[in-house]
């Protein structure tokens, strides 16, 4: 996996090959179902605003000290300038401010609902005042169309000038007030599902547990020791080339990465998903609209110096951006997308044995599920996504548990989030390998992803229109869609679980049976010395 090649403080390349080594073993009928046409997003995009939305918890993973300065968190001052606008329902906030204040408290995150309500009421009042003055100006303009004596006309002209000045001054004040309202409104997190446990990560509730911890009759090694003995990784060379928390995959580890990606695709494409491969570089505005802070003080996103581009930390960002400013027909929903991507995370403060080896790295490959749907579908689709994840990991023979995460562990976009934690015997603990989040309309209100409901059938009792009179068709009002995301396969964490759980006493590792057709016939990874 190639890191950014840097020389003289300039980024020369950030591209990484996305080619797959082996063809997916799918039937022609499955392929025909998988590659059905996507609902086409709008080809024109408007990037008019730019102000980072606040996040409650880190859900993209920061240390830039080990990478070249050309990729940095610089540009925080630019984040203070608002260049895009979220369609926040301020009426809902005003009418539910007590519930929203409690939600903010439960999540232990930023956001001042009282200030938002105060700014909104001031904005409404000032807007009404501006409208009143505009109406007076219009009345004066209409009065001047009639016959008037010179003194009366001069009087009306003077009144019109005064009103124009007042309106201009108030419009400037209103614009500044609305920008402040937008900034504060974007700090309000999504609402929370009533079943979500309140508190820290420790109070997360168990949804499901699969399998049990394997009993080992020999001393267990972690994936780092296993991988070095089997010549699968090179952390030392990667540290010299790119910095700490980078790595080279070698030999069977490369095949295992591709096998995991292809196997995941082959399992999920028949479930109605459409495959995508996404860009690595994303405009910072798109990152912000998805609920992340690319240039804030505590950002966990790499920004490319001198540009408005960021390295994507997760595929949900470029996939969500693909449908930015789109009006989708209801018939296209739910839209189920399966994205293969590279992910880049700064992972600041991540050190120690708990993050050893592949557990926290700056760059990795991932397959992500992303869904756009009607509001009434999102809860059921959330359950479907986590069930698909559980099915995948069970078929790999992993022991894992699924947790309904607590309020303090939710990022600002998430209404509800499930985490899957697999047992990693070499590390001696459970480690997160996946999550699935329902973001309801939080992201779609920022990305402007809407759908138009199908028109209701005409009532047979409705009287026909008068003969010769044209009746204008009445289309249903557009609605904001809901978005969901779920990690199908984050390669490094999956490698850890597979290597550590399938290790043998002689240091070899057995490949899970479902992956063997994608490994070129390899069923066991053995020491290179034993093969000579």
């Amino acid at each position: 996996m190639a890191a950014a090649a840097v020389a003289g403080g300039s980024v020369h390349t950030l591209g990484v090959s996305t080619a797959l080594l082996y063809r997916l073993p799918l039937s022609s009928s499955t392929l025909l179902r998988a590659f059905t046409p996507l609902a086409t997003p709008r080809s024109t995009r408007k990037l008019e605003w730019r102000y980072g939305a606040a996040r409650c918890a880190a859900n993209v993973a920061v240390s830039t000290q080990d990478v070249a300065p050309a990729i940095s968190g610089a540009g925080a001052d630019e984040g203070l300038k608002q260049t895009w606008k979220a369609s926040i329902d301020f009426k809902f906030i005003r009418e539910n401010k007590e519930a929203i204040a409690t939600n903010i408290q439960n999540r232990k995150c930023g956001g001042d609902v009282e200030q938002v309500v105060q700014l909104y009421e001031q904005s409404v009042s000032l807007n009404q005042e501006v409208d009143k003055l505009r109406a007076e100006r219009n009345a004066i303009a209409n009065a001047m169309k009639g016959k008037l004596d010179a003194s009366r006309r001069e009087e009306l002209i003077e009144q019109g000038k005064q009103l124009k000045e007042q309106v201009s001054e108030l419009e400037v004040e209103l614009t500044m007030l609305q920008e402040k309202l937008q900034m504060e409104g974007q700090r309000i997190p999504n609402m929370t599902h009533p079943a979500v446990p309140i508190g820290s990560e420790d109070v997360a509730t168990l949804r499901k547990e699969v399998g049990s911890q394997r009993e080992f009759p020999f001393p267990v090694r972690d994936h780092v020791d296993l991988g070095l003995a089997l010549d699968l990784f090179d952390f030392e060379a990667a540290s010299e080339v790119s910095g700490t928390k980078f790595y080279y995959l070698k030999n069977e580890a490369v095949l295992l990465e591709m096998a995991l990606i292809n196997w995941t695709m082959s399992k999920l494409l028949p479930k109605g998903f459409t495959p995508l491969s996404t860009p690595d570089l994303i405009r910072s505005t798109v990152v912000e609209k998805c609920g992340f802070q690319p240039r804030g003080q505590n950002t966990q996103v790499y920004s490319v110096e001198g540009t408005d581009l960021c390295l994507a930390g997760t595929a949900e960002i470029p996939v969500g951006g693909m449908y930015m400013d789109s009006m989708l027909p209801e018939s296209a929903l739910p839209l189920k997308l399966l994205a293969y991507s590279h992910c880049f995370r700064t992972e600041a403060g991540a050190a120690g044995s708990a993050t050893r080896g592949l557990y926290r790295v700056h760059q990795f490959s991932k397959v992500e599920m992303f869904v756009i749907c009607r509001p009434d579908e999102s809860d059921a689709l959330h359950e479907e996504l986590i069930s698909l994840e559980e099915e995948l990991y069970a078929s790999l023979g992993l022991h894992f548990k699924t947790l309904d995460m607590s309020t303090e562990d939710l990022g600002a976009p998430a209404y509800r989030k499930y985490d899957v934690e697999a047992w990693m015997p070499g590390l001696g603990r459970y480690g997160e390998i996946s999550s699935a989040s329902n973001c309801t309309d939080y992201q779609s209100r920022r990305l402007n992803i809407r759908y138009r409901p199908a028109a209701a059938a005409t009532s047979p009792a409705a009287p026909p229109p008068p003969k010769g009179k044209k009746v204008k068709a009445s289309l249903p009002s557009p609605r904001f869609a809901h978005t969901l995301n779920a990690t199908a396969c984050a390669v490094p964490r999956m490698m850890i679980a597979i290597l550590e759980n399938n290790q043998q006493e002689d240091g070899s590792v057995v490949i899970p049976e479902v992956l063997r057709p994608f490994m070129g016939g390899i069923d066991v990874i053995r020491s290179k010395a034993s093969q000579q």
Side-chain angles (χ1 to χ4, degrees), residues 112-126:
D112 187 338
V113 67
E114 289 292 344
Q115 184 178 19
V116 171
V117 170
Q118 183 181 15
L119 288 169
Y120 176 64
E121 290 177 343
Q122 291 174 358
S123 176
V124 170
S125 177
L126 188 56

Side-chain angles (χ1 to χ4, degrees), residues 58-79:
N59 50 10
V60 180
V62 318
S63 167
T64 58
Q65 61 186 1
D66 295 320
V67 294
I71 303 177
S72 68
D77 291 341
E78 295 178 5

